[in-house]
Amino acid sequence: MSSTNTNDNPLRQGIRLEKTAEPCVVVIFGASGDLTKRKLVPALYRLVQQRLLPAEFGIIGVARSAMSDDDFRNKMKDALITFSEAKSVDETVWQSFAQGIYYVSGDINDSKAYQQLKERLEQIDTERGTAGNRVFYLSTAPSLYSEAIQQLGAADLAKPKPGAWVRTIIEKPFGHDLESAKELNKEVAKVFEEEQVYRIDHYLGKETVQNLLVFRFANGIFEPIWNRRYIDNVQITNAEALGVEGRGGYYDTSGVMRDMIQNHVFQVLSLVAMEPPINLSANAVRDEKIKAMYAVHPVPIAQLDEVAVRGQYGEGSIAGKEVPGYRQESGVNPKSNTETFAALKLYFDNWRWAGVPFYIRSGKRLPKRVTEIAIQFKQAPLQLFSNIPDQQFEPNVLIVRIQPDEGITLRIGAKIPGQTTRIRWVNMDFRYGASFGVSSPEAYERLLLDCILGDSTLYARRDMTERGWEIVQPILDAWASRTGDLPGYAAGTWGPKAADEMIERDGREWRRP
Amino acid sequence: MSATTTINVGAIEKELTSLWKQASEDEAGGVARASILNLIVFVPDPADSNAVDDIVIDVTTSHPCRVISLVADRAAESKLTAEVTSRCTLPTPNSKQVCCEQVTITASEDHLDEAPSAIVPLLIADLPVYLWWRAEPKAEDKEVYKWLSAIADRVVIDSAKFNDPEGDLATIARGLGAAGRGPALSDMNWARLTAWRALLAGFYDVPEYRPLLKQIERVTIEYAPPTDNPAAISTRGLLLGGWLASRLGWKLNPAATTRGEQSARFEFTAEGRTMQIEFQHTERAIEPGHLALVTITNAGDSDTASAFSVRRSADGTRIETGVTLDEEKRPKRVLSYEGLSESALLARELELLGPDRVYEEAVKAAGEMIASRQ
């Protein structure tokens, strides 16, 4: 860690001044791509305007095309104007920011480019006081990660100078299956220490992770009932109304298990299932998350269809519009068997959760966009009100909504005002967004700032990436070896019938979000 | 006919309940009543009511609350009335309406002192109470202030609005000294200084410059004088000066204070060294009360000096930081700067619960400086 501790600057004391990040240079590989101009540079610009980044800050874009610093700066300015809400930027303010932007051209596998990069970095350290701290952001095609990392190691850029730090951010997807994920981790480990590696899983905004942790562990009343004695089942739904939106070529090689379930959904699952951490440091939290995931009962391949369902959307309508089926999307093989929907039933082999089924489903072209965790509690042991005609009894459900409309709902039974003791089941809602009307900061702002501050809570650790693959790999292998078409569902419905059958066989049903 | 002089508090609650019933009948999906705090507003003049209502509407979208507004209608005779309103907003298109309630109590001079007793029963149980005192500290309102601040968890004021900046700031400072365990005090003017403080603190985050914290020789604060009181130093300037002095442990030497028409100089000692804070009128055309430029000069070893400056552009849209080392200037940094509206400032204060010790000490230090001028 660096030698400066801004915490002992007496002028920083108080509840209103935020911690400023340390001086550093962010090097973006693949800087000619979309991500750089749409998300990365605008996020860094906004962080600077919010005074969260110091004056001693620089950005170096690295890509193949030949360009001068000024050319790159102008491109970034145009992008900022196009993609910002205001559609304009103050000239003097921009100039001041642009002074810290540089460009190095070169091929990812050309060691000369890395030497040039090294010289540039030294130059910026001297001119702008960036103190030797570096973030290497890999925004290239995933197939180039390995090469870039090796080259960084060979050019001696991965080892921090005394008193400085070096970190690398690796974009998703992290590997394509268990083998490739392990391989990539090995390559990375040859060059970087684990504490230097930040693997992105930006689906979970910091708000969500912290909301769940606060909800579970800052309140005394939920932990005692957060286990098999009181909970009947847990359902995690991650639904999108969107289709593949022109990225059919990429998605066809991936599918929902690789794209969403083994990383994002498992992150959510681990937050729900974990034991309380000993403190809120990134590693303490991640330790508990991985411990829970190690307890996931291996998926019984012999009875695969009882616990895992896949599907692919056909044509249908969403929000009043007709949409084509998956196989008709551009870039998709018309005979493709890639799954756009999957549902799983998982168990945890530990004292807290033994016997409690976790039903997970994720898919595209479902009726609406929603991500939620529904915890269904066991019903009251004795039904005192059963002599009331036509009375329905429902279990209490605690729903944590991750998006849209972050919030919490508790479903309880209340007496209908009047002479009888009839019960109606009502929702008590608390919406973070509505109550606090504050828009959450953009995901990339949060992510970049966290990496510069050295907070890896939002990032995936090596063991978690491999464990996610370990759980789903047997399922993917089994499905890949099948011939014939996978089940279909009309766009705008909640998935194939087989998904309903899976949960109804257990005497339960999917919650309608 | 004389107006009603007693408020039937029971009647107010009933009125609120029927408003809720009405709202839920109109709205198919039912309404959600959300409250996260109680907000009491003291409005010194009925003419301000509309402005206050607008700000309250803005603030309740992000901080749903029950608002009780006490309007002092000094021109009226024998008046004590209450009005009840509910305001609903739709946070997102698919959600239910979120409704908040506002009770407005208007009191004439002779009934002002009793009005707080009508407010106390209306506060929602358990939720924190914020008192937004949208007026200056005046002797005639002392009773009302005493009563309301006793039930408040936090009092929000705006020292930028003080007509007698120095006198009023000194009163606050004295009040803080005496209060002990009173409500936490919040000043919107202090919130306006956050950007300045962050940038000034930021200079000393750099390892190379950190030692210079103990070598500060002079702080020059340029400000635009308040319109009503051109001889006074702007409260924002005083708070910033008080902040530096209190954070860095500087002790004021009251005898050395000097005063001109457009400037003032205060001398401090710390760890055997002396340093000064100078206040000066700015020549640039900037809104009254605002800061134009703050420069910190540090002595260096072997006669080298360095200076850090933070400067606001005339139109208030940019803020520049500059570093000069041994007469060599480092590149300036220009950041965009946005003044915060009163609603935004109030919303921020409503997020804070505990006392702001840094602010309180800054005010006390400012109070000492003011007292030494007499």
Side-chain angles (χ1 to χ4, degrees):
Chain A
M1 288 298 294
S2 152
S3 51
T4 322
N5 185 356
T6 53
N7 290 330
D8 58 20
N9 179 348
L11 295 181
R12 282 252 166 236
Q13 278 164 8
I15 46 188
R16 294 172 199 255
L17 292 190
E18 290 215 37
K19 196 169 156 199
T20 302
E22 288 172 0
C24 70
V25 182
V26 174
V27 179
I28 305 175
F29 289 97
S32 50
D34 237 21
L35 191 68
T36 306
K37 60 180 201 239
R38 293 188 82 132
K39 296 284 182 186
L40 299 183
V41 174
L44 291 169
Y45 175 79
R46 279 191 297 270
L47 286 172
V48 165
Q49 299 312 313
Q50 290 166 51
R51 300 178 307 274
L52 291 167
L53 290 176
E56 298 73 23
F57 176 72
I59 302 173
I60 303 182
V62 180
R64 221 172 344 146
S65 24
M67 240 194 282
S68 68
D69 287 347
D70 277 329
D71 290 335
F72 186 59
R73 288 167 184 165
N74 286 332
K75 272 188 164 223
M76 292 300 109
K77 179 178 173 192
D78 290 338
L80 188 65
I81 294 176
T82 319
F83 296 117
S84 73
E85 267 187 49
K87 300 280 175 265
S88 73
V89 71
D90 182 306
E91 190 59 38
T92 349
V93 172
W94 171 257
Q95 283 306 326
S96 177
F97 177 71
Q99 265 171 31
I101 302 180
Y102 306 84
Y103 183 81
V104 167
S105 75
D107 251 324
I108 283 283
N109 49 19
D110 178 7
S111 50
K112 283 209 294 295
Y114 293 84
Q115 287 308 320
Q116 264 192 15
L117 178 61
K118 205 169 175 187
E119 283 163 34
R120 232 38 204 311
L121 285 167
E122 310 266 319
Q123 183 197 347
I124 298 173
D125 273 349
T126 323
E127 283 175 14
R128 290 184 75 86
T130 43
N133 296 324
R134 319 256 182 263
V135 175
F136 292 111
Y137 197 111
L138 300 187
S139 167
T140 59
S143 51
L144 297 172
Y145 289 166
S146 201
E147 181 67 36
I149 288 164
Q150 272 176 38
Q151 291 277 3
L152 282 171
D156 201 26
L157 282 168
K159 289 242 167 334
K161 302 193 202 141
W165 47 259
V166 174
R167 298 174 186 140
T168 176
I169 299 183
I170 307 178
E171 267 281 356
K172 64 175 204 113
F174 199 83
H176 178 262
D177 55 19
L178 183 57
E179 268 319 299
S180 55
K182 279 183 156 168
E183 248 326 289
L184 185 53
N185 272 327
K186 269 203 249 164
E187 297 286 317
V188 174
K190 280 190 210 147
V191 171
F192 291 100
E193 303 288 335
E194 178 60 26
E195 65 189 28
Q196 293 178 278
V197 185
Y198 288 68
R199 300 172 194 75
I200 283 209
D201 179 26
H202 64 75
Y203 182 80
L204 275 189
K206 188 137 197 184
E207 293 295 313
T208 309
V209 173
Q210 288 184 327
N211 282 342
L212 268 170
L213 291 174
V214 166
F215 187 72
R216 279 190 68 187
F217 306 123
N219 292 298
I221 59 171
F222 296 114
E223 235 357 71
I225 57 173
W226 206 268
N227 56 60
R228 57 186 302 273
R229 280 192 291 286
Y230 301 95
I231 292 177
D232 177 82
N233 73 83
V234 177
Q235 297 178 19
I236 298 180
T237 301
N238 162 231
E240 289 183 275
L242 295 175
V244 291
E245 308 300 296
R247 296 180 72 232
Y250 161 71
Y251 195 84
D252 216 24
T253 64
S254 159
V256 78
M257 288 283 273
R258 290 186 170 88
D259 193 48
M260 278 295 189
I261 294 189
Q262 69 79 21
N263 42 16
H264 310 315
V265 179
F266 278 3
Q267 289 289 333
V268 176
L269 178 65
S270 62
L271 282 169
V272 176
M274 67 188 261
E275 298 297 319
I278 55 171
N279 60 50
L280 287 177
S281 67
N283 276 336
V285 173
R286 296 191 297 182
D287 282 347
E288 293 303 334
K289 285 164 71 179
I290 189 67
K291 186 170 117 189
M293 294 311 280
Y294 280 142
V296 172
H297 187 83
V299 175
I301 296 300
Q303 294 96 40
L304 188 62
D305 291 331
E306 290 176 25
V307 298
V309 169
R310 57 176 179 156
Q312 190 187 81
Y313 67 84
E315 61 186 16
S317 45
I318 300 258
K321 260 180 58 177
E322 271 188 32
V323 293
Y326 178 71
R327 289 178 177 177
Q328 288 90 53
E329 302 268 20
S330 77
V332 172
N333 174 355
K335 297 219 180 77
S336 167
N337 263 335
T338 302
E339 81 286 0
T340 62
F341 172 94
L344 298 178
K345 178 166 99 165
L346 296 174
Y347 286 96
F348 286 86
D349 291 335
N350 60 20
W351 280 58
R352 184 184 283 267
W353 297 114
V356 177
F358 281 71
Y359 299 100
I360 294 172
R361 59 179 169 172
S362 174
K364 287 191 176 289
R365 286 286 188 226
L366 299 182
K368 66 196 235 197
R369 175 177 170 250
V370 62
T371 302
E372 63 166 40
I373 306 159
I375 295 154
Q376 186 176 310
F377 292 92
K378 294 186 172 169
Q379 299 228 28
L382 187 61
Q383 276 311 344
L384 295 172
F385 304 93
S386 52
N387 57 347
I388 294 148
D390 293 331
Q391 177 65 63
Q392 306 274 39
F393 292 98
E394 295 187 22
N396 299 120
V397 187
L398 177 68
I399 300 129
V400 181
R401 262 185 328 280
I402 295 179
Q403 65 173 27
D405 237 5
E406 280 188 277
I408 293 168
T409 300
L410 181 61
R411 193 163 177 74
I412 55 171
K415 183 181 112 73
I416 296 173
Q419 296 284 23
T420 66
T421 4
R422 292 195 357 106
I423 303 173
R424 181 188 285 160
W425 300 86
V426 295
N427 282 1
M428 274 183 358
D429 263 321
F430 178 79
R431 288 189 155 82
Y432 296 111
S435 289
F436 297 110
V438 183
S439 56
S440 316
E442 267 265 344
Y444 276 97
E445 275 177 49
R446 187 75 252 169
L447 277 171
L448 285 164
L449 185 63
D450 272 358
C451 178
I452 298 174
L453 289 171
D455 180 356
S456 42
T457 315
L458 279 187
Y459 292 88
R461 204 164 63 180
R462 176 178 184 167
D463 45 13
M464 188 62 114
T465 55
E466 291 179 17
R467 180 60 186 157
W469 282 114
E470 251 175 32
I471 297 174
V472 306
Q473 194 63 51
I475 306 177
L476 290 170
D477 290 341
W479 282 345
S481 67
R482 292 184 181 182
T483 53
D485 285 344
L486 73 176
Y489 60 98
T493 60
W494 283 103
K497 242 169 35 115
D500 293 330
E501 286 162 10
M502 177 178 90
I503 193 172
E504 282 161 18
R505 232 177 279 125
D506 294 342
R508 301 179 174 98
E509 51 180 29
W510 288 106
R511 196 183 109 75
R512 180 176 50 83
Chain B
M1 286 291 289
S2 67
T4 5
T5 50
T6 35
I7 300 182
N8 189 344
V9 171
I12 299 180
E13 279 285 10
K14 248 174 83 178
E15 192 58 42
L16 281 167
T17 313
S18 73
L19 268 180
W20 278 109
K21 239 179 99 198
Q22 185 65 47
S24 61
E25 275 161 21
D26 293 342
E27 181 66 30
V31 288
R33 177 220 199 180
S35 291
I36 55 178
L37 50 97
N38 293 290
L39 176 62
I40 305 174
V41 189
F42 179 74
V43 186
D45 186 344
D48 295 335
S49 283
N50 284 336
V52 169
D53 282 351
D54 285 340
I55 294 173
V56 159
I57 292 176
D58 259 346
V59 163
T60 48
T61 42
S62 55
H63 293 82
C65 53
R66 175 176 279 189
V67 181
I68 304 166
S69 166
L70 174 57
V71 181
D73 191 353
R74 301 189 210 269
E77 271 182 36
S78 214
K79 178 180 184 184
L80 187 61
T81 56
E83 243 178 52
V84 166
T85 339
S86 99
R87 294 215 180 78
C88 296
T89 50
L90 205 58
T92 59
N94 296 325
S95 62
K96 299 187 192 126
Q97 283 201 66
V98 173
C99 296
C100 306
E101 320 140 316
Q102 178 168 346
V103 178
T104 308
I105 297 176
T106 314
S108 57
E109 191 77 49
D110 49 341
H111 285 294
L112 206 48
D113 289 348
E114 299 132 45
S117 66
I119 295 180
V120 173
L122 293 173
L123 298 172
I124 303 182
D126 291 325
L127 299 176
V129 180
Y130 287 79
L131 170 63
W132 180 24
W133 192 264
R134 202 171 182 267
E136 325 163 85
K138 272 208 186 101
E140 54 203 11
D141 296 328
K142 215 163 126 199
E143 280 309 309
V144 181
Y145 181 79
K146 248 174 73 179
W147 195 327
L148 290 177
S149 61
I151 50 176
D153 294 300
R154 189 178 206 91
V155 175
V156 181
I157 57 170
D158 189 351
S159 59
K161 295 212 160 73
F162 290 172
N163 279 337
D164 174 13
E166 295 186 22
D168 291 338
L169 201 56
T171 312
I172 305 268
R174 279 196 298 276
L176 279 175
R181 259 176 271 133
L185 187 63
S186 233
D187 185 351
M188 291 192 188
N189 218 12
W190 175 247
R192 291 188 189 100
L193 282 175
T194 304
W196 292 86
R197 293 195 301 126
L199 291 171
L200 288 169
F203 290 125
Y204 298 98
D205 283 337
V206 181
E208 209 188 317
Y209 305 151
R210 174 65 65 82
L212 299 174
L213 252 188
K214 302 234 177 210
Q215 292 168 5
I216 299 180
E217 269 187 340
R218 188 169 65 252
V219 179
T220 313
I221 302 177
E222 252 185 54
Y223 65 97
T227 357
D228 298 333
N229 217 321
I233 305 176
S234 111
T235 36
R236 223 168 295 184
L238 285 166
L239 286 172
L240 191 67
W243 170 64
L244 282 169
S246 54
R247 288 297 93 221
L248 299 173
W250 296 353
K251 269 194 61 85
L252 180 69
N253 179 3
T257 302
T258 55
R259 186 89 199 218
E261 259 188 30
Q262 299 190 350
S263 63
R265 181 185 300 173
F266 301 90
E267 204 179 87
F268 298 81
T269 49
E271 290 175 3
R273 290 175 36 250
T274 50
M275 58 287 287
Q276 293 156 358
I277 299 184
E278 254 182 46
F279 292 93
Q280 281 174 13
H281 281 201
T282 182
E283 282 166 13
R284 294 197 284 142
I286 289 191
E287 297 108 301
H290 285 232
L291 299 180
L293 169 67
V294 176
T295 315
I296 302 183
T297 319
N298 317 290
D301 321 301
S302 54
D303 288 329
T304 55
S306 55
F308 299 141
S309 65
V310 178
R311 181 180 185 278
R312 199 190 91 133
S313 67
D315 60 5
T317 59
R318 289 187 299 283
I319 196 163
E320 270 172 34
T321 61
V323 173
T324 314
L325 287 176
D326 297 342
E327 303 189 359
E328 174 212 315
K329 286 199 173 157
R330 291 277 171 94
K332 277 196 207 292
R333 188 159 76 125
V334 182
L335 299 175
S336 59
Y337 180 69
E338 253 179 62
L340 293 167
S341 66
E342 210 176 347
S343 333
L345 288 169
L346 180 62
R348 285 198 176 178
E349 298 310 310
L350 296 181
E351 286 166 16
L352 302 171
L353 268 182
D356 190 345
R357 295 277 173 237
V358 172
Y359 166 69
E360 290 178 7
E361 288 170 25
V363 174
K364 290 197 199 136
E368 279 175 23
M369 281 193 273
I370 296 168
S372 75
R373 295 179 81 192
Q374 265 84 32

